[in-house]
Amino acid sequence: MIHLPGVPVPLARVIEMLATLPGIGSKTAMRLGLNLLSRPASDSKHLAEALKTLHEEVGFCETCGCFSEQGNCQFCHDVKRDTDVICLVEQPVDVLMMERGHGYRGCYHVLRGRLSPIDGIGPEQLRLTALDRRVEQGINELILATSATVDGEATAHYLANRYQHQDVRISRIARGVPEGGELEYLDEHTLSRALDQRVNWDTAAL
Amino acid sequence: MIHLPGVPVPLARVIEMLATLPGIGSKTAMRLGLNLLSRPASDSKHLAEALKTLHEEVGFCETCGCFSEQGNCQFCHDVKRDTDVICLVEQPVDVLMMERGHGYRGCYHVLRGRLSPIDGIGPEQLRLTALDRRVEQGINELILATSATVDGEATAHYLANRYQHQDVRISRIARGVPEGGELEYLDEHTLSRALDQRVNWDTAAL
């Protein structure tokens, strides 16, 4: 409960809800609430409508687990996509991030989590049965695009083991210096990995 | 229009509306939208309800111009408040800021703007007729709490002139070093004003 002396209750309700969002503190929430109040009522109403239908209209693809508006998602539906390549990610949002790059034309599989013994998340909590089926049906490559954290790395290791005897190429997204990264500000782990996994100039210049 | 490849339309609608809020860019809006989607549907619905009623339920006090839920606001209604002292501010939000301080027990008057010749805002665009009436009815003090900007300062000057022949004490909120302010990082104008308007130690220590 935020202390809001003098703030009318209807505005306080909006501010309190906004302050539950990540990265929005009580001051920012107040600024946003006041901004909405100072704008035409239709703006708040449009946002209200969009929020009301959000959960009703956005579901998850039964095949890959991406966001979808009905049944299969746009990626599984897209005949131009290569169904023989599956990029494995942790969350639906990771798919959106991958799509920002414009380069990838394969399909996805969303785990909806990652292995985390501390939080009690084992393989049975992840969307692995669906992935097993897809791998068994035959694919060329499984790209492990879990995050570069301890848990993400452990998840990638687990999956590489799980499918090692299947007839599928298993790859991991590259680790190294991020675009625009200055060596001076990089941590030593990133830098030594970038050195270890250096590629030939012809490949790098691609 | 934000470019959101792979984002379902209902989610994109929420993200686009959120991105119109001040200080919320497209990346933050996406994070907020995804956060809402990952939470129970009831959270989005509560925020939607609060937004829908926001403009309907929050109005402005006819006397002072503060936010109010019906007719007169809580300050004009409050019998414990000193109606002989009026603190003049630019916007309703300034009242909320003043109330955070807990010290002030007088009333308010909101101009709903400040003089700004560049934007074509003259005295007739401000809530001055209502203030004239309140001053004529007799008050002890009018505290000019417009902001310390060029326009705010000009507005304070204008008001001090407007009411100089009335039987009312006119004061201006103090200017100087803000709480916690280190001299090293202050601008020279603030510092010279803090020096010019220095107060006796007994007063300062209050």
Side-chain angles (χ1 to χ4, degrees):
Chain A
M1 187 74 186
I2 307 165
H3 182 56
L4 299 167
V7 176
V9 175
L11 177 59
R13 274 201 298 265
V14 170
I15 293 174
E16 278 183 15
M17 284 300 305
L18 291 173
T20 67
L21 292 169
I24 308 286
S26 58
K27 274 202 168 178
T28 306
M30 170 121 63
R31 202 175 69 237
L32 301 182
L34 289 165
N35 175 271
L36 281 166
L37 195 55
S38 71
R39 284 159 55 175
S42 58
D43 284 4
S44 298
K45 288 220 162 62
H46 285 154
L47 179 53
E49 286 305 314
L51 286 166
K52 246 173 90 177
T53 56
L54 180 61
H55 282 75
E56 289 155 22
E57 294 183 9
V58 181
F60 298 98
C61 173
E62 287 154 28
T63 309
C64 71
C66 295
F67 291 127
S68 87
E69 284 174 72
Q70 56 228 40
N72 270 352
C73 68
Q74 53 169 305
F75 307 113
C76 294
H77 261 142
D78 190 344
V79 288
K80 289 192 207 134
R81 293 245 167 197
D82 185 354
T83 52
D84 281 339
V85 180
I86 291 180
C87 175
L88 181 120
V89 294
E90 294 173 8
Q91 297 292 354
V93 58
D94 300 332
V95 174
L96 307 182
M97 293 299 136
M98 296 295 287
E99 284 299 302
R100 285 194 156 184
H102 300 291
Y104 183 66
R105 298 302 298 163
C107 287
Y108 291 99
H109 193 87
V110 181
L111 284 185
R112 303 289 297 275
R114 55 186 175 200
L115 295 180
S116 176
I118 285 183
D119 304 316
I121 297 174
E124 55 289 344
Q125 269 79 45
L126 304 177
R127 290 185 67 255
L128 282 177
T129 323
L131 181 59
D132 289 346
R133 208 163 37 232
R134 292 177 85 184
V135 173
E136 273 158 27
Q137 279 165 2
I139 54 166
N140 286 336
E141 183 173 358
L142 178 65
I143 305 169
L144 303 175
T146 53
S147 54
T149 59
V150 173
D151 287 345
E153 204 65 37
T155 309
H157 273 280
Y158 173 83
L159 290 168
N161 278 332
R162 187 177 179 111
Y163 300 119
Q164 64 179 332
H165 300 302
Q166 306 266 7
D167 182 24
V168 55
R169 179 187 169 201
I170 296 175
S171 58
R172 179 85 170 108
I173 45 167
R175 304 269 296 271
V177 183
E179 200 70 25
E182 297 200 58
L183 298 201
E184 186 179 351
Y185 304 112
L186 276 179
D187 65 294
E188 65 272 30
H189 305 293
T190 299
L191 213 47
S192 35
R193 191 179 282 255
L195 192 65
D196 285 349
Q197 302 191 351
R198 64 190 178 279
V199 293
N200 288 334
W201 176 249
D202 343 349
T203 322
L206 269 181
Chain B
M1 186 75 185
I2 308 165
H3 182 56
L4 301 166
V7 177
V9 175
L11 177 59
R13 273 202 298 266
V14 170
I15 293 174
E16 277 183 14
M17 284 302 304
L18 290 174
T20 66
L21 292 169
I24 308 285
S26 58
K27 274 202 168 178
T28 306
M30 170 120 66
R31 203 175 68 237
L32 301 183
L34 288 164
N35 175 271
L36 282 165
L37 195 55
S38 72
R39 284 158 55 174
S42 58
D43 285 4
S44 299
K45 288 219 162 62
H46 285 154
L47 179 53
E49 285 306 314
L51 285 166
K52 247 174 91 177
T53 56
L54 180 62
H55 282 76
E56 288 155 23
E57 294 183 8
V58 180
F60 298 98
C61 173
E62 287 153 27
T63 309
C64 72
C66 295
F67 291 127
S68 87
E69 285 175 71
Q70 56 229 41
N72 269 353
C73 69
Q74 53 169 309
F75 306 114
C76 294
H77 262 141
D78 190 344
V79 289
K80 289 192 206 133
R81 292 246 167 197
D82 185 354
T83 52
D84 280 339
V85 180
I86 291 180
C87 175
L88 181 120
V89 294
E90 295 172 9
Q91 297 292 355
V93 58
D94 299 333
V95 174
L96 307 182
M97 293 300 135
M98 295 295 286
E99 284 299 300
R100 287 195 154 184
H102 300 292
Y104 183 66
R105 298 302 297 161
C107 287
Y108 291 99
H109 193 87
V110 182
L111 284 184
R112 304 287 299 274
R114 56 185 176 202
L115 296 180
S116 177
I118 285 182
D119 303 317
I121 297 175
E124 54 290 342
Q125 269 79 46
L126 305 177
R127 290 185 66 255
L128 282 177
T129 322
L131 182 60
D132 289 346
R133 207 162 38 231
R134 291 177 86 184
V135 173
E136 273 157 28
Q137 278 165 2
I139 54 166
N140 286 335
E141 183 173 357
L142 177 66
I143 306 170
L144 302 175
T146 53
S147 55
T149 59
V150 173
D151 287 345
E153 204 65 37
T155 308
H157 273 280
Y158 172 83
L159 290 169
N161 279 332
R162 188 177 179 110
Y163 300 118
Q164 64 179 335
H165 300 302
Q166 306 266 7
D167 181 24
V168 55
R169 179 187 169 200
I170 295 175
S171 58
R172 178 87 169 107
I173 46 167
R175 303 270 296 271
V177 183
E179 200 70 26
E182 298 201 57
L183 298 202
E184 186 180 350
Y185 303 113
L186 276 179
D187 65 294
E188 65 273 29
H189 305 292
T190 300
L191 213 48
S192 35
R193 191 179 283 254
L195 192 65
D196 285 349
Q197 303 191 349
R198 64 191 178 279
V199 293
N200 287 335
W201 176 249
D202 343 349
T203 321
L206 270 182

